[in-house]
Amino acid sequence: MSSTHQAAVGHDAPTKNADLLSWVTRCARMTQPDRIVWCDGSEAEKKRLTEQAVKEGILIPLNQEKRPGCYLHRSNPNDVARVEHLTFICTPNKTDAGPTNNWMDPEQAYTKLGLLFDGSMKGRTLYVVPYAMGPLGGPSTKIGVELTDSIYVVLNMRIMTRMGKPALDMLGDSEDFNRGLHSTGDVNPDRRYICHFPQDNTIWSFGSGYGGNVLLGKKCLALRIGSYLGREEGWLAEHMLILGVTDPKGQTTYVAAAFPSACGKTNFAMMIPPKSYQGWKVETVGDDIAWMRVGPDGRLYAINPEAGYFGVVPGTNTKTNPNAMATIAKDTLFTNVAMTADGDVWWEGKDGEVPEELVDWQGRPWKKGCPEKAAHPNSRFTAPMTNNPALSPKANDPQGVPISAIIFGGRRSNTVPLVLQAFNWTHGVFLGATMGSETTAAATGKVGVVRRDPMAMLPFCGYHMGDYLQHWLDMQKSITHLPKIFQVNWFRQDKNGKYLWPGYGENMRVLEWIVNRVHGRVPTQETLLGWVPRQGDIPIQGLDLPPEAIAEATSIKADEWKSELKSQEVFFEQLGTKAPEALMLQRKLLISRLGS
Ligand code: GTP
Ligand code: SPV
Ligand code: MN
């Protein structure tokens, strides 16, 4: 690195943190940027970077009367989702990453990516982005610093995290921060790597400019590195929404729910109860990630480490998710949606008529009736949580909220019934461990294929999946008031491919049963799979639902469960000797109950 670079790091830096300064210096020496800019998170900085992004064509201003403060970003068409096949856990031992992760030797990974990062920021600016995951000053909060050459990343991190000076102040002189390095590179899918070094609290991401690949606080730190730290430190980092549901008497119950990517977390977390639920209220604590630890009273407390939502756009409308519609009305970055003639945004599943003409997500003219989608199926909004009308007053509470129920839910067109309750914690961990879900557009690859996705963490667990499940089992020793565990499936279909359950706000009907079970207010009915609502306990008045639909949505079919058990067996075999004993026993019990 030239002396000007050194001067830039030392001279402009708003910190005296020696570890941070020397790490930034080393990264700048490798990537050779023209400039180094330390981000402070201020409004002035936002304005300056936004203007520059517009000038460079990275952001397209939207109609500012209709969507004040909103911009559209079009990513490279080869770079529209997480890339699981290019995501690596680089632990010194391959076994520590486990059979469900891609592994690379750390030395080899540093060398390989080092060659890519070598000079990758020439002619560009390196932004230093300090950020906090979790409320500032909180006991669970972690600090990360992301070095990136992408303005888009900076502006997104500004929404998704508590970014800038306050985070740097919280870090002080400590060397305890996550070191994230990102360079957009030439966006060549053959030279794209997302590498995690949990033992070094380090992430290197090269060659992408999209979401979960590059907003390093989110999936990379809060889940992959987070889950690794959680096991070492005795807490849980989970792919879960957190909501508070308040009943007409004013009692609030906090619930965390793990659904795989694009399987309904944001929608459930922002749900508005139907008219028949007057006096009930659902408030959002988080929509994607929960960090949970045992509090002094022995309960499990959850915080949302994020400060914004990176949500799926298609399917969002004033009927499915009115709170999301309000959230994205201003100060929102849209990625890969379509644009209308008057500079507003459009997507499949938006309210109203399909416009005659649009500009599609790739910037091409699009006409009504065109078979191709105008918005990418994984198009996203980035919006501050403070825009959400249903934001929980506890969303900023550093202590988090006490969790009374944990829900696991996959996207299954058959087999899995609408709702059931686990017999106990171990059985609940078994339900989470045996989750399956049909793949979605949130990751590149085939869509609609059932895969095992334990606790919705398959792409996000930073260590051996067997150890992860054992960690869940072990947690029950330190939690004195165990949350009750449930399984749901909003996505069961009839033989014509129509959803049997109306979903969205109507999921309140299932949530009410869950709340009632938590507080011991309703008896239940035992089945082979778990406890289910008795007939009538899930009210269906007011639903436009044929009577056989609810019967079908809640049915348990022996033949479907035979093939389900086989698929679960393949998953457990993959874990080898690390498949937890307690879960193997649960499996045996289920087999004997099913008589197969
Ligand atoms: P990630 O941000 O990828 O983790 O996704 P998510 O789990 O937050 O999923 P999200 O709530 O954004 O929903 C994904 C898709 O599923 C959207 O197109 C929704 O419209 C649809 N969806 C959500 N909830 C329901 C539901 O209850 N029933 C049905 N049929 N579809 C739903
Ligand atoms: C997911 O895929 O689960 C997401 C979107 O929440 S991303 O940030 O791209 O991972
Ligand atoms: Mn997610």
Side-chain angles (χ1 to χ4, degrees), residues 192-206:
R192 184 172 294 160
Y193 295 96
I194 325 295
C195 288
H196 305 70
F197 306 86
Q199 68 286 353
D200 304 332
N201 201 1
T202 291
I203 304 156
W204 281 16
S205 167
F206 187 89

Side-chain angles (χ1 to χ4, degrees), residues 80-84 160 210-215 218-220 223-224 239 259-263 265-266 287-289 306 310-312 378 380 440-443 456 459-460:
V80 294
R82 283 182 296 100
V83 282
E84 295 180 1
M160 294 305 296
Y210 190 83
N213 299 330
V214 299
L215 309 178
K218 193 173 179 59
K219 299 302 159 81
C220 300
L223 288 181
R224 298 198 190 94
H239 191 200
F259 309 155
S261 301
C263 290
K265 288 182 300 301
T266 302
D287 84 321
D288 198 50
I289 297 173
E306 301 189 282
F310 186 64
V312 175
N378 192 37
R380 297 264 166 176
T440 65
F460 308 120

Side-chain angles (χ1 to χ4, degrees), residues 268 271 274 277 407 417-420 486-490 501 503-517 533 537-539 550 554:
F268 196 53
M271 178 224 293
Y277 278 80
I407 309 176
L418 183 64
V419 61
L420 50 91
F486 299 83
Q487 182 175 47
V488 300
N489 178 21
W490 313 138
W501 178 251
Y504 301 105
E506 305 299 350
N507 293 333
M508 182 63 223
R509 298 167 192 263
V510 175
L511 183 58
E512 182 197 16
W513 182 74
I514 289 172
V515 170
N516 282 337
R517 287 296 301 157
D537 280 348
I538 303 260
I550 183 92
T554 53

Side-chain angles (χ1 to χ4, degrees), residues 474-492:
D474 292 343
M475 282 300 289
Q476 72 184 304
K477 291 180 214 145
S478 49
I479 310 170
T480 41
H481 303 279
L482 285 166
K484 306 276 192 291
I485 300 182
F486 299 83
Q487 182 175 47
V488 300
N489 178 21
W490 313 138
F491 297 96
R492 206 150 172 189

